[in-house]
Amino acid sequence: MSAIQFTNLSFSYQAGTPFAVEALRNVSVTIPNGSWTAVIGHTGSGKSTLMQLLDGLLSPTTGSIRNGQRQLQAGANRKEMAAFRQQTGFVFQFPENQLFAETVLEDVMFGPQNLGRTDKEARTDAIAALEMVHFPREDYKRSPFDLSGGQMRRVAIAGVLAMRPQTLILDEPTAGLDPSGQDELMRLIKTLHDQHRTILMVTHQMELVGAYADHVLVMNHGQMTMFGTPQQLFAQPQLLSDNHLKMPASVALGQQLRAKGLPLPETLPLTIEQLASEVAETLRRKQG
Ligand SMILES: Nc1ncnc2c1ncn2[C@@H]1O[C@H](COP(=O)(O)OP(=O)(O)OP(=O)(O)O)[C@@H](O)[C@H]1O
Ligand SMILES: [Mg+2]
């Protein structure tokens, strides 16, 4: 297993026509295997396009992508794109819109069946995936359209997991969920990451970047402007404002407290819990 490597990757929609739109320009970066990378940037910066290329849904206009043992080059044909695709699972924005089968189990079996696995194998994969997302067994025969929004999203994610992808791409996975639904989904993604999958997550929520990601990839007008850690990103206010990004509330509050004279540690508090324990510790030291 090795990393994901984008090399001089460019992509234009309707390339070679008068309607061409350049969506990505010369992106080169290596994403470590097993990492959790947040893909962030202003609307229209190229995040979804980059993820669709990694999923083999689009092929590069120029440059190439390597994922593990496979490579996708400019001009790849359908067959090469399909082979490249097998390594990734893509949870689209509002994935529940793609549910279609009569029962939950049939819906989740569709992906592995489509990869050529037998019905028996597909069933085993589907059940394993539904268990991963904690979907209750007694509801396997229900219509996916009778479920709550949160349950539908879990079924849709199980449909992707049933294909056993090594790399999991999620485009705005928490969009439209209430705070408890968001927490639950992030815990699920964390479990999947702990099982050594590489995660790429497009998000506009800097709190999630701080709390979960170990790497960040910042896009701006089709170019990559930064690849690093959340600590490195949130320590650069100018870079944040240039990219229309905010700090997580905990980082901003920590800075205000430091400005008021509270000697907090140099490392940024990436979550409210971390900030709270640093404040408590600092006050204890001050008193002691
Ligand atoms: N199917 C398409 N045809 C033509 N242009 C497109 C198409 N999809 C996206 N674009 C353009 O490509 C550029 C990158 O779009 P992309 O959807 O990758 O951005 P994004 O970062 O995912 O934005 P958002 O945060 O709004 O989801 C934008 O200029 C967009 O208008
Ligand atoms: Mg997008």
Side-chain angles (χ1 to χ4, degrees):
M1 280 185 290
S2 54
I4 293 168
Q5 212 170 350
F6 297 104
T7 307
N8 300 325
L9 180 69
S10 298
F11 181 81
S12 297
Y13 289 97
Q14 284 102 38
T17 76
F19 309 105
V21 179
E22 190 183 47
L24 293 178
R25 193 185 323 157
N26 216 18
V27 176
S28 293
V29 64
T30 300
I31 295 172
N33 187 42
S35 62
W36 181 332
T37 299
V39 181
I40 60 180
H42 200 43
T43 178
S45 58
K47 305 179 295 293
S48 295
T49 305
L50 188 66
M51 296 303 102
Q52 289 177 62
L53 281 152
L54 177 59
D55 193 39
L57 289 170
L58 302 172
S59 79
T61 305
T62 58
S64 65
I65 311 168
R66 174 170 279 287
N67 186 359
Q69 300 308 310
R70 291 186 193 268
Q71 186 149 351
L72 190 71
Q73 307 263 18
N77 61 34
R78 292 265 147 215
K79 209 173 147 200
E80 289 162 335
M81 289 162 76
F84 191 74
R85 238 193 135 185
Q86 294 208 2
Q87 307 171 102
T88 47
F90 198 146
V91 178
F92 294 95
Q93 207 171 356
F94 300 108
E96 53 278 14
N97 294 343
Q98 302 193 330
L99 297 171
F100 71 98
E102 280 182 23
T103 70
V104 165
L105 188 62
E106 285 170 38
D107 207 294
V108 179
M109 283 173 64
F110 177 76
Q113 282 169 328
N114 207 29
L115 290 177
R117 296 182 198 152
T118 65
D119 284 355
K120 190 160 173 260
E121 287 168 335
R123 198 184 172 80
T124 307
D125 289 335
I127 291 173
L130 284 163
E131 285 176 353
M132 252 183 261
V133 303
H134 303 296
F135 188 85
R137 188 172 274 264
E138 60 272 20
D139 291 338
Y140 285 3
K141 292 268 158 62
R142 281 180 69 180
S143 161
F145 303 103
D146 291 341
L147 304 172
S148 71
Q151 292 283 69
M152 282 169 93
R153 187 160 300 186
R154 279 202 256 170
V155 171
I157 293 173
V160 171
L161 294 175
M163 293 183 277
R164 291 187 248 129
Q166 174 55 31
T167 307
L168 191 62
I169 305 167
L170 303 112
D171 201 343
E172 293 282 348
T174 57
L177 295 180
D178 62 18
S180 77
Q182 291 193 16
D183 285 348
E184 192 189 319
L185 182 56
M186 293 311 292
R187 277 200 302 276
L188 166 63
I189 302 171
K190 188 169 180 334
T191 310
L192 300 171
H193 179 243
D194 291 344
Q195 294 165 350
H196 312 295
R197 288 181 188 81
T198 305
I199 309 282
L200 287 103
M201 176 179 78
V202 177
T203 184
H204 288 281
Q205 287 173 270
M206 295 306 120
E207 269 66 27
L208 299 184
V209 176
Y212 294 99
D214 47 42
H215 289 76
V216 280
L217 191 165
V218 183
M219 295 299 299
N220 190 337
H221 289 102
Q223 291 183 290
M224 190 189 77
T225 52
M226 185 203 158
F227 182 73
T229 64
Q231 281 285 340
Q232 289 165 339
L233 171 70
F234 295 126
Q236 298 181 67
Q238 188 62 49
L239 187 131
L240 290 169
S241 74
D242 289 349
N243 289 281
H244 310 273
L245 300 168
K246 286 195 175 131
M247 290 180 191
S250 55
V251 175
L253 187 54
Q255 283 187 342
Q256 286 171 21
L257 292 170
R258 276 171 72 97
K260 296 262 185 224
L262 193 69
L264 290 172
E266 290 282 331
T267 51
L268 303 175
L270 295 177
T271 62
I272 287 291
E273 290 75 15
Q274 191 186 340
L275 176 64
S277 74
E278 285 174 1
V279 169
E281 176 61 23
T282 305
L283 293 176
R284 229 187 337 263
R285 257 188 288 117
K286 267 184 123 179
Q287 284 164 357

